[in-house]
């Protein structure tokens, strides 16, 4: 039986990286049920469709107990409440990363004090890793070995070859 969602990890995951996966594993140890939800920011133009990002995430989390993957809609706090989650998980890459996350966390708190944002500090290996950097590297056909879950590199190359 799927455990109840205790926490929501929202993001673009365009594409999922080993940095995201590390946060997912660690958050799943702290919260009994974790929903990883793909959101599309109105201001961002993603490389991958929501379905493609869901597929990559699903493959990456299949062995992690208590984790499910979903397509998020609307406001993150409202979505969190709708699925019964009391915590929104975000990963922070050092103090600069925290500065970037604070306005959203404060706004979410204004919208609902019933949902708390919980920050997980990026592991040293993944501090400098981002989806944008991975896409930039892939653009030069540089190896992504050790940076993304299996299958993601091939999907990136296939997608970039289509452009
Ligand atoms: P968003 O566009 O919502 O920031 P991302 O997919 O870029 O979506 O990131 C989702 C969350 O994962 C954010 O909280 C981000 O800070 C965090 N994150 C991204 N890359 C890493 C990483 N290498 N290590 C830890 N956390 C990360």
């Amino acid at each position: 039986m799927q455990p109840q969602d205790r926490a929501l990890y929202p993001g673009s995951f365009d594409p999922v990286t080993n940095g995201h996966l590390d946060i997912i594993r660690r958050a799943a140890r702290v919260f009994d049920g974790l929903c990883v939800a793909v959101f599309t920011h109105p201001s961002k133009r993603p490389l991958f469709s929501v379905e493609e990002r869901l597929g990559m995430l699903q493959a990456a989390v299949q062995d992690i107990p208590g984790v499910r993957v979903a397509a998020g809609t609307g406001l993150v706090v409202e979505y969190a409440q709708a699925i019964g989650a009391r915590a929104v998980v975000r990963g922070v890459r050092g103090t600069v990363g925290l500065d970037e996350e604070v306005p959203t966390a404060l706004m979410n708190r204004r919208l609902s004090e019933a949902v708390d944002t919980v920050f997980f500090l990026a592991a040293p290996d993944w501090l400098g890793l981002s989806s944008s950097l991975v896409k930039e590297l892939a653009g030069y056909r540089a190896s992504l070995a050790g940076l993304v879950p299996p299958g993601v590199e091939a999907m990136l190359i296939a997608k970039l070859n289509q452009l």
Side-chain angles (χ1 to χ4, degrees):
M1 203 182 83
Q2 184 72 40
Q4 196 199 324
D5 296 316
R6 303 284 180 198
L8 169 70
Y9 180 29
S12 307
F13 306 107
D14 185 43
V16 57
T17 68
N18 284 346
H20 293 127
L21 204 51
D22 183 57
I23 301 294
I24 294 171
R25 284 188 207 285
R26 290 161 55 198
R29 286 203 299 258
V30 174
F31 298 103
D32 281 342
L34 178 72
C35 174
V36 182
V38 173
F39 279 80
T40 299
H41 295 266
S43 56
K44 285 194 189 171
R45 266 204 52 159
L47 179 64
F48 290 103
S49 68
V50 170
E51 290 69 30
E52 288 168 328
R53 287 180 273 160
L54 286 172
M56 286 186 272
L57 269 170
Q58 190 55 59
V61 307
Q62 60 185 348
D63 296 332
I64 312 175
V67 176
R68 75 178 181 104
V69 167
T73 50
L75 285 170
V76 164
V77 272
E78 284 179 3
Y79 186 81
Q81 278 175 299
I83 64 170
R86 291 276 181 84
V88 168
V89 167
R90 296 291 284 174
V92 289
R93 284 158 288 180
T95 50
V96 175
L98 184 59
D99 282 346
E100 287 168 5
E101 294 281 336
V102 163
T104 310
L106 287 175
M107 187 50 71
N108 284 345
R109 187 191 151 87
R110 268 181 79 98
L111 292 169
S112 171
E113 287 192 16
V115 178
D116 260 295
T117 302
V118 178
F119 295 111
F120 283 75
L121 183 60
D125 279 354
W126 315 123
L127 260 181
L129 183 59
S130 66
S131 298
S132 341
L133 202 53
V134 155
K135 284 182 276 195
E136 203 177 318
L137 283 173
Y140 292 102
R141 303 298 186 267
S143 168
L144 301 181
L147 300 180
V148 291
V152 172
E153 181 166 3
M155 281 194 71
L156 260 167
I157 301 298
K159 174 65 80 176
L160 293 171
N161 284 338
Q162 281 167 22
L163 298 179

